[in-house]
Amino acid sequence: MRNISKTVDAIESSLTLRIDSKAKAMKKEGKDLVLFTAGEPDFDTPQAVKEAAIEAINANFTKYTKSSGIIELREGICEKLKKDNGLEYSPDEIVVSNGGKQALFNIFGAILNPGDEVIVLTPAWVSYSPQIKMWKAKPTEVKTYPENDYLPQEEDLEKAITDKTKAILFNSPNNPTGAVYDKRTLEMLAHIAQKHDLYIVADEVYEKMVYDLPHISIASFDGMKERTLIINGFSKSHAMTGWRVGYSVASLNISKQISKIQSHTTSNINSITQKAALKALSVDTKYMMDEYKKRRDLISDMLSNANFKFFKPKGAFYVMVNMTEFLTDEKNTEDLCMELMEKAGVALIPADAFGAKGFVRISFATSQELIKKGINRLIEYLK
Ligand code: GLU
């Protein structure tokens, strides 16, 4: 047999999705398990959004649409960008995709040539590096540390930049650290991008989940709109993970490339979902965000009272806990997570694959009651 793609063969499948399905399968088989695995809101998709989808079906809105998405939705996204982020874009600069994941994959395809380097600020979500590699480019990891509130440092970036560096990718609010980049950090990133003529890929999918400081889009800084590519979506903001709807925001020349990629791969996203997303733009989900803040406070208090080592998240719905004291040469974080799942009845994600060796990620997109139950199980088992 001829060999297969070395690039794809060298990539791991998504760890978050893999562990989440394993935990869900165990639960289905009757195992008493509290899931802190996938970053998936436990809220139902708002009723008005579901009804818009039903109406779309009944109105036979079930055929191809423009590959980049229906004009009303792209116009609505432009209004959102203006209102929430102070950004002026035209509908041709938006491409609606199958979740933020596809938007990101399209963006990399639009800007990367083989051998280009992308700086990935870590700890980072598990899908960034594989996506970069799939376009035959190279992710360069630049670490951030809890001592600096997981904010990137200028000297670390300067050291990592080479003449092959094409872009800096970051995610704020951050999965998995819970960091939120403040104005000063964003100004530093903007300065570096301009100095070295780099793109910024800004994953803003958690923008609504900020607890201590506001979310600012780096594209709103002077001279940054042209070089910033934004990814966003409805999965987290409107509890719509299964609908698969996200989007990219980029200047017209890049959006044209993004549209080309999408037109040859998936075409438009589900037509019904597009109508649902259009409705979602007018549905206020502050009640969800207020509840996440309560959960953030609850989980932080519980972990802190039990003397766990962690960074109190300022945004998103994850907390990373340092587990090194419970690890040995024979037991890494993945082994520990398996043990916790089987013996303590609590499912966590090992954060090594996020670039945080010795840490686990806890998603608190689950009820306060389950947070109490799950964290108490963790305390009883480990402490
Ligand atoms: N982004 C979420 C997470 O990190 C969803 C799962 C995934 O796509 O990786 O858990």
Side-chain angles (χ1 to χ4, degrees), residues 309-321:
K309 290 190 215 120
F310 69 102
F311 168 74
K312 185 175 178 181
K314 296 179 191 293
F317 43 46
Y318 307 101
V319 55
M320 277 212 318
V321 182

Side-chain angles (χ1 to χ4, degrees), residues 312-333:
K312 185 175 178 181
K314 296 179 191 293
F317 43 46
Y318 307 101
V319 55
M320 277 212 318
V321 182
N322 186 331
M323 289 286 176
T324 42
E325 61 190 299
F326 309 109
L327 304 175
T328 60
D329 287 346
E330 287 77 46
K331 195 200 287 183
N332 62 22
T333 32

Side-chain angles (χ1 to χ4, degrees), residues 162-180:
T162 72
D163 54 4
K164 294 211 176 85
T165 308
K166 194 65 159 293
I168 300 175
L169 160 71
F170 71 87
N171 169 224
S172 172
N174 187 277
N175 171 13
T177 65
V180 176

Side-chain angles (χ1 to χ4, degrees), residues 14 16-17 38-39 101 125 175 206 236 318 361:
S14 164
T16 43
L17 297 185
K101 244 177 205 171
W125 179 47
N175 171 13
Y206 298 98
K236 319 286 175 179
Y318 307 101
R361 188 192 76 171

Side-chain angles (χ1 to χ4, degrees), residues 283-294:
V283 174
D284 187 357
T285 54
K286 189 170 175 296
Y287 65 96
M288 298 185 192
M289 308 312 142
D290 291 346
E291 176 59 24
Y292 290 131
K293 183 168 192 297
K294 286 186 197 147

Side-chain angles (χ1 to χ4, degrees), residues 104-349:
L104 186 69
F105 191 69
N106 289 344
I107 280 178
F108 289 140
I111 62 168
L112 297 178
N113 288 311
D116 282 350
E117 293 172 8
V118 178
I119 290 187
V120 182
L121 295 172
T122 62
W125 179 47
V126 293
S127 291
Y128 295 135
S129 291
Q131 286 207 1
I132 293 165
K133 289 179 188 162
M134 279 192 262
W135 286 104
K136 312 231 185 281
K138 182 177 162 261
T140 305
E141 204 181 308
V142 171
K143 283 192 165 48
T144 63
Y145 300 94
E147 304 81 274
N148 304 317
D149 290 356
Y150 288 111
L151 298 175
Q153 304 300 303
E154 186 164 358
E155 56 277 21
D156 297 337
L157 286 161
E158 287 287 5
K159 266 187 235 149
I161 292 170
T162 72
D163 54 4
K164 294 211 176 85
T165 308
K166 194 65 159 293
I168 300 175
L169 160 71
F170 71 87
N171 169 224
S172 172
N174 187 277
N175 171 13
T177 65
V180 176
Y181 290 11
D182 58 0
K183 191 157 176 268
R184 240 187 61 202
T185 302
L186 294 167
E187 274 165 0
M188 179 275 285
L189 285 162
H191 163 74
I192 297 241
Q194 290 178 357
K195 180 174 160 197
H196 295 279
D197 190 19
L198 305 175
Y199 288 113
I200 291 280
V201 181
D203 179 350
E204 303 193 346
V205 88
Y206 298 98
E207 73 166 322
K208 297 286 175 199
M209 292 158 203
V210 280
Y211 313 123
D212 302 322
L213 68 165
H215 165 79
I216 309 170
S217 181
I218 195 168
S220 65
F221 291 8
D222 275 354
M224 287 307 290
K225 191 183 152 192
E226 287 306 305
R227 57 177 77 247
T228 304
L229 317 166
I230 302 173
I231 300 139
N232 209 330
F234 295 78
S235 290
K236 319 286 175 179
S237 63
H238 289 78
M240 291 177 70
T241 46
W243 298 76
R244 309 310 302 137
V245 54
Y247 53 91
S248 56
V249 182
S251 56
L252 191 59
N253 61 333
I254 294 177
S255 284
K256 277 186 185 157
Q257 308 299 321
I258 292 174
S259 298
K260 258 195 260 172
I261 298 170
Q262 188 156 306
S263 75
H264 285 301
T265 48
T266 56
S267 311
N268 61 277
I269 74 156
N270 180 311
S271 57
I272 300 148
T273 291
Q274 293 188 57
K275 289 285 189 183
L278 176 61
K279 185 71 198 176
L281 285 169
S282 63
V283 174
D284 187 357
T285 54
K286 189 170 175 296
Y287 65 96
M288 298 185 192
M289 308 312 142
D290 291 346
E291 176 59 24
Y292 290 131
K293 183 168 192 297
K294 286 186 197 147
R295 295 170 180 180
R296 188 281 304 252
D297 292 339
L298 171 69
I299 201 162
S300 304
D301 285 348
M302 290 186 82
L303 292 171
S304 157
N305 290 340
N307 294 319
F308 278 107
K309 290 190 215 120
F310 69 102
F311 168 74
K312 185 175 178 181
K314 296 179 191 293
F317 43 46
Y318 307 101
V319 55
M320 277 212 318
V321 182
N322 186 331
M323 289 286 176
T324 42
E325 61 190 299
F326 309 109
L327 304 175
T328 60
D329 287 346
E330 287 77 46
K331 195 200 287 183
N332 62 22
T333 32
E334 191 153 352
D335 302 324
L336 177 70
C337 286
M338 288 303 155
E339 182 182 326
L340 289 168
M341 195 139 69
E342 268 144 34
K343 300 203 181 130
V346 48
L348 314 173
I349 299 271

